[in-house]
Amino acid sequence: MARLTGTGLTNPVRYTISAVLFVTLLGGLPAQAEIVLSTTAPATLGVPPLTFRDGDLVDFDRPTETATLIFNEDLFGGNDEEVGAVHVFGNGHIVLSTDSDAWLPGLGFEDEDLVKWDPVNQTATMFFHGDDWFAGEEDIDAACVLDNGHIVLSTDADAKIGSLEFGDGDLVECDPASGMATLLFSEYLFNSHNENIDAVHVLGNGHIVLSTVADAGLPGLNSFEDEDLVEWDPVGQTASMFFEGDLWFTHDEDVDAAFIPEPTTLSLLVLGGVAVMRRRRR
Ligand SMILES: [Ca+2]
Ligand SMILES: [Ca+2]
Ligand SMILES: [Ca+2]
Ligand SMILES: [Ca+2]
């Protein structure tokens, strides 16, 4: 009887230890600490230091402090452009928006568009055509593509899609299949009830990582800067610091585009395998 009870207790304990190990490993994944970003002016990150421009995109890995240029502003036909929104697909294709009308090999586009850049074939295609969505002329200043193909975006001024009117600090979710847009995040949530969002990434757990044009505050985090990335928990209705610019930039900057790589399916499988093997060995 004692033996049966012991077995019954030990397995859940072992399982719990493995689960904790699994989650701990996941939490410590370098991918979770990696950020693709752009700034509004020339900035410097990393060791050795990498200085980049407002139209460049940099991949910054916090554990190793490695900054890598993944998109070069020179690609805009040699023109001076400002990149203000980014998303990166698993195949390395980059979705971006610029602050003014621009050109990339294969495509001329507007500031209200999202274009997809293929870094292998060095060609751009239209990804989100602003004219098909917005009632007026707009400028997309933040964007993220969800796993279901929906596009989360912000504009730099009041805008309208269908019957949905929204402000520069709101986030709307567009469904390309239906052509409908819904409000995902209201700027009323900011302490001031009025900010301008200039970067967004929606994490796999539904939390929203965002940056603002000016210093701002949200419930749970009363003060953050335009160079910070803040994580908003829509269930708990609370914010926490995700990326504190002061810790990494050599000067004060303004982050105006961000993408957070998630752990890949392969990483999950490898870590899952490690957890199972450790459980069996105990
Ligand atoms: Ca920029
Ligand atoms: Ca834009
Ligand atoms: Ca905005
Ligand atoms: Ca910002």
Side-chain angles (χ1 to χ4, degrees):
M1 193 65 184
R3 263 177 119 179
L4 279 175
T5 307
T7 307
L9 282 173
T10 308
N11 281 343
V13 169
R14 283 178 180 162
Y15 185 80
T16 303
I17 290 169
S18 298
V20 167
L21 170 77
F22 181 68
V23 170
T24 303
L25 283 168
L26 273 184
L29 257 190
Q32 293 284 59
E34 191 179 348
I35 296 170
V36 172
L37 58 80
S38 180
T39 48
T40 58
T44 303
L45 270 180
V47 179
L50 175 73
T51 298
F52 51 95
R53 298 163 294 175
D54 61 359
D56 293 332
L57 288 166
V58 168
D59 180 305
F60 182 54
D61 182 54
R62 281 182 278 180
T64 61
E65 296 190 50
T66 306
T68 310
L69 192 71
I70 65 160
F71 180 89
N72 190 321
E73 182 178 323
D74 289 342
L75 290 162
F76 294 111
N79 295 317
D80 178 9
E81 302 293 353
E82 152 75 301
V83 171
V86 65
H87 184 90
V88 184
F89 286 116
N91 62 2
H93 290 194
I94 297 168
V95 171
L96 60 83
S97 182
T98 46
D99 279 12
S100 53
D101 299 353
W103 178 90
L104 279 169
L107 190 70
F109 52 93
E110 294 183 273
D111 56 356
E112 62 178 359
D113 298 329
L114 292 171
V115 299
K116 187 165 74 173
W117 174 250
D118 176 345
V120 175
N121 293 312
Q122 295 275 298
T123 183
T125 50
M126 187 61 74
F127 182 76
F128 178 96
H129 195 199
D131 278 340
D132 296 339
W133 289 84
F134 297 115
E137 293 293 314
E138 305 300 343
D139 177 7
I140 292 178
D141 61 0
C144 176
V145 185
L146 305 184
D147 287 345
N148 62 5
H150 292 192
I151 295 142
V152 173
L153 62 81
S154 178
T155 49
D156 84 337
D158 292 348
K160 190 176 178 185
I161 296 176
S163 59
L164 179 69
E165 294 182 51
F166 52 95
D168 59 5
D170 293 331
L171 293 169
V172 298
E173 179 175 342
C174 303
D175 176 2
S178 68
M180 298 286 287
T182 51
L183 190 68
L184 179 72
F185 176 94
S186 168
E187 71 177 328
Y188 192 78
L189 291 162
F190 289 108
N191 293 351
S192 65
H193 307 317
N194 179 26
E195 301 293 342
N196 186 352
I197 289 177
D198 62 359
V200 66
H201 180 89
V202 182
L203 297 170
N205 62 4
H207 290 196
I208 298 166
V209 175
L210 60 84
S211 183
T212 46
V213 167
D215 299 351
L218 276 165
L221 190 64
N222 280 325
S223 178
F224 55 88
E225 295 182 88
D226 56 359
E227 64 180 352
D228 298 332
L229 290 169
V230 169
E231 179 175 349
W232 174 252
D233 173 354
V235 177
Q237 294 277 295
T238 184
S240 56
M241 187 63 74
F242 185 85
F243 172 89
E244 187 163 12
D246 278 340
L247 298 178
W248 307 102
F249 291 116
T250 51
H251 302 286
D252 279 331
E253 305 296 345
D254 179 2
V255 170
D256 67 350
F259 169 81
I260 320 295
E262 293 271 345
T264 63
T265 307
L266 182 62
S267 301
L268 288 171
L269 288 172
V270 169
L271 287 172
V274 169
V276 167
M277 281 168 64
R278 287 188 68 111
R279 195 173 74 218
R280 283 179 179 162
R281 280 180 186 166
R282 278 166 190 252

